[in-house]
């Protein structure tokens, strides 16, 4: 009986310790992410960061325009317009990435003379926000070789393959579902390019100079 009582107390104490450790880890993780988010918002006051994000937004627009000129304005085309958005999100965070995606989409609408399609714009912003969140907050300690492809695939799955495809369906019908295998190939190529850039010391050193005021 004494042994049984001791075992019960030991199990209870262990459970309490585990619960305390879990809560403490969750609290520390929340504080860490809050600090990251605060630092990310401060980047909007960094002129160098704003200049780089403006260039990347322009690059996204140019890549989209190039793809439309080659494959036409339809829903099926090989485009790497999201590559600069991913790069922005990975380097500066999901908020900056989402804003950059929004700017690129609005510039494209202004150039074409068309009003923005809300769901298409939402899908574009989600690509930037989800990829940055995955890379910066969910998978920050995982090797870039794995975190970058996971972030790219997740963002394309939700933003491009689901939201944008759903938005295009009323105009193009079932043909839009062929976007899914196309974006699988695009994700592979973009992931390889991003891993190469993020593991390039010279490139990352230059980015460090941009972030540092």
């Amino acid at each position: 009986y004494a042994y049984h009582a001791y075992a019960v107390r030991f199990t209870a104490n262990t459970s309490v310790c585990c619960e305390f450790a879990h809560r403490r880890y969750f609290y520390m993780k929340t504080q860490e992410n809050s600090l990251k988010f605060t630092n990310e918002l401060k980047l909007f006051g960094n002129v160098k960061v704003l200049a780089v994000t403006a260039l990347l937004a322009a690059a996204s627009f140019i890549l989209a325009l190039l793809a439309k000129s080659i494959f036409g304005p339809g829903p099926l085309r090989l485009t790497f317009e999201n590559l600069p958005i991913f790069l922005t999100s990975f380097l500066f965070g999901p908020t900056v990435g989402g804003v950059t995606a929004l700017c690129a989409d609005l510039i494209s609408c202004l150039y074409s003379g068309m009003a923005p399609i809300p769901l298409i714009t939402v899908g574009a912003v989600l690509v930037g926000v989800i990829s940055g969140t995955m890379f910066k907050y969910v998978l920050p300690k995982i090797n870039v070789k794995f975190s970058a492809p996971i972030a790219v695939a997740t963002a394309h799955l939700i933003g491009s393959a689901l939201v944008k495809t759903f938005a295009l369906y009323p105009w193009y019908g079932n043909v839009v579902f062929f976007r899914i295998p196309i974006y699988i190939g695009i994700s592979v190529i973009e992931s390889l390019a991003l891993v190469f850039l993020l593991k390039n010391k010279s490139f990352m050193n230059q980015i460090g100079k941009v972030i540092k005021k």
Side-chain angles (χ1 to χ4, degrees):
Y1 176 79
Y3 175 78
H4 177 71
Y6 173 78
V8 170
R9 287 197 300 270
F10 177 78
T11 303
N13 290 336
T14 303
S15 299
V16 171
C17 290
C18 290
E19 180 68 19
F20 175 77
H22 176 74
R23 289 185 178 183
R24 181 170 177 79
Y25 172 79
F26 180 77
Y27 172 78
M28 293 177 65
K29 192 69 177 178
T30 302
Q31 291 294 103
E32 180 185 349
N33 288 338
S34 296
L35 180 61
K36 284 184 180 179
F37 182 69
T38 302
N39 290 334
E40 182 184 348
L41 292 180
K42 291 180 181 179
L43 293 177
F44 284 102
N46 188 323
V47 177
K48 292 181 180 179
V49 170
L50 292 178
V52 171
T53 53
L55 289 173
L56 290 171
S60 176
F61 163 69
I62 292 171
L63 288 172
L65 188 64
L66 181 63
K68 289 177 182 178
S69 65
I70 296 174
F71 299 101
L76 304 180
R77 57 177 180 268
L78 188 66
T79 175
F80 299 102
E81 62 194 78
N82 288 307
L83 183 59
I85 305 303
F86 287 132
L87 188 58
T88 306
S89 298
F90 289 0
L91 295 176
F92 306 125
T95 307
V96 179
V99 172
T100 304
L102 175 63
C103 292
D105 185 74
L106 294 178
I107 291 171
S108 179
C109 291
L110 287 172
Y111 179 82
S112 63
M114 295 177 59
I117 301 174
L119 206 53
I120 294 290
T121 302
V122 169
V125 173
L126 283 176
V127 168
V129 172
I130 293 173
S131 60
T133 301
M134 292 293 294
F135 188 80
K136 284 281 194 179
Y137 294 91
V138 180
L139 308 170
K141 297 181 181 180
I142 296 180
N143 192 299
V144 172
K145 292 181 180 179
F146 303 103
S147 60
I150 292 173
V152 169
T154 305
H156 269 317
L157 174 63
I158 298 173
S160 302
L162 292 180
V163 176
K164 287 187 178 181
T165 297
F166 181 77
L168 292 169
Y169 182 80
W171 283 275
Y172 298 100
N174 292 333
V175 71
V176 297
F177 294 113
F178 287 101
R179 289 166 49 86
I180 296 175
I182 291 175
Y183 270 101
I184 292 175
I186 291 173
S187 296
V188 172
I189 297 172
E190 288 177 334
S191 296
L192 291 173
L194 288 165
V195 170
F196 173 77
L197 288 173
L198 295 172
K199 291 184 73 67
N200 187 294
K201 292 183 178 179
S202 298
F203 175 76
M204 293 307 295
N205 287 337
Q206 294 302 316
I207 294 299
K209 294 178 181 178
V210 170
I211 296 176
K212 184 179 180 180
K213 287 187 176 182

